[in-house]
Amino acid sequence: MKIHKILIANRGEIALRVMRTAREMGIATVAIYSEADRQAPHVKYADEAVCIGPPPSNQSYLLGDKIIDICQQLGVDAIHPGYGFLSENAAFARKVREAGIIFIGPSPESMEMMGGKISAKQAARRMNVPLVPGVNEAITDRVAAKQVAAEVGYPILIKASAGGGGKGMRVVNDEAEFDEQMDRAVSEAIASFGDGSVFIEKYITSPKHIEIQILGDQHGNIVHLFERECSIQRRHQKLVEEAPSAVLTPEIRAAMGQCAVAVAKACGYYGAGTVEFIVDENLDFYFLEMNTRLQVEHPVTELITGVDLVKEMIRVAEGHELPFGQEDLEIKGHAIESRVCAEDPRNNFLPDVGTLHTYVRPQGNGVRVDDGIEEGQPIPIYYDAMFAKLITYGADRSEAIGKMIRAIDEYQITGVQTTLPFCRFVMQHEAFLSGKFDTRFVGLHFKPELLDVQPDAIEIQLAAVLAATLQGRKATLTQVSASVATTGSRWKRNRLG
Ligand code: ADP
């Protein structure tokens, strides 16, 4: 069925991102907005816009029934949920379907199976996809669970089945802490998610977070669009992502891709989804969970594959077959994303509130900015602190890194502190350049004081040469001196201003 009008049940950068593709496809767009977002760019961009309620999301963006009513009043055929808010709410997806509206995403049944970490693991196990050693079902017998913990070896991680956003996880370092941490995990899970089921995983001490993008249609075809490396995190939440990973071999990439497709098949998946894995230092990988929606970091995949994921989601929702098979997809070049959050990396990444007094985006070859705010606007305190994403694309990894540094230096933001200085720090750190980093990067390598240290030109040259060598090619002198030149100019500007 051809979709003529889409309501985007979201705000900010992702609402705009979806609307742009809809417009390219000749589909009309409807925005919803809270009172805090009256002036937001996504409201102005849409063909029609409806105020849905007061700022808190439980009085606005989470009002599923009201959103369905708006669709019926305005003759909307389909809802795109973006990420967050209602995007993984199977009950909402079911109501949308019952109202005769297309939900641009998987079926509620797939969402339910993948929604709980425990049921997702059981589906993965049926497909022989490797799981982190531990107790992969809801713990009812503590004594038996303690025994498994001792067998897999401490430290272990207690996780909430309904967990998300890094919440509901507790590290247990030895058996003496087990009962206390278990009590805390269960009460935290009940308080945050209304579901106290928890399970145990071995705590992987040098973990890389690598995920596979998948895309399926309603005719049973499923492909993967390679990996995204998302190990640079704070509070278990991603800050820098890239595609492809600097360390995966073609064989491991293919094996992970096959496992991801198997997980998607296990739940009859269609639409865009992401299968997350944790990868240890030997590059052994284990299934973590599946996200049944578009991810924040999807642009890096779009850049290396040339596929517009939102367009494919819409086409799949219309009932079309995927226009390509696995053999048609290949990785071309390298892409990196830096999340721009109103947070202060000098102060433990605490959210920083304020108004964007200056906001000038970087431009130029290989630079994409997905954002949802304009100069002069306040960043609403009610929602996520991420207000923009800076994505760069280059022929190879060192080119993408060079473009990221250049683009961060061009980005002018005043009024709030952002994560950009941290992302720039990452781009020059030896651990990142060498690819030898894991989710402990911030804890191991980052100190706020380092943001104010001026790496000298020699170090930067070495870093560029090292990155290029690890990519298996020689750095040209022009690339090295270009990287020194851009880096140099920034400190001059900082000293002036
Ligand atoms: P959430 O749904 O809350 O995001 P995930 O299961 O996706 O939780 O895990 C989030 C992050 O926590 C991962 O990216 C990784 O950094 C860390 N993590 C998860 N499981 C493990 C594990 N078994 N060992 C070490 N780190 C882990």
Side-chain angles (χ1 to χ4, degrees), residues 117 132 157 159 163-169 199 201-209 230-231 233 236-238 276-278 288-289 291 439:
K117 288 184 204 281
V132 186
L157 200 55
K159 283 191 182 180
K167 279 196 212 117
M169 282 195 278
F199 60 97
E201 277 179 3
K202 181 171 178 58
Y203 187 73
I204 310 282
T205 43
S206 175
K208 273 178 150 317
H209 175 118
C230 311
S231 302
Q233 307 180 341
H236 296 301
Q237 292 298 293
K238 305 158 188 170
E276 296 189 335
F277 295 93
I278 199 156
L288 263 190
E289 62 167 343
N291 290 323
T439 60

Side-chain angles (χ1 to χ4, degrees), residues 194-233:
D195 170 3
S197 339
V198 297
F199 60 97
I200 288 177
E201 277 179 3
K202 181 171 178 58
Y203 187 73
I204 310 282
T205 43
S206 175
K208 273 178 150 317
H209 175 118
I210 300 183
E211 58 189 30
I212 304 279
Q213 174 70 51
I214 64 107
L215 199 53
D217 63 24
Q218 300 189 49
H219 307 273
N221 303 303
I222 303 180
V223 297
H224 72 84
L225 290 93
F226 314 105
E227 79 276 13
R228 291 185 288 259
E229 147 68 69
C230 311
S231 302
I232 306 284
Q233 307 180 341

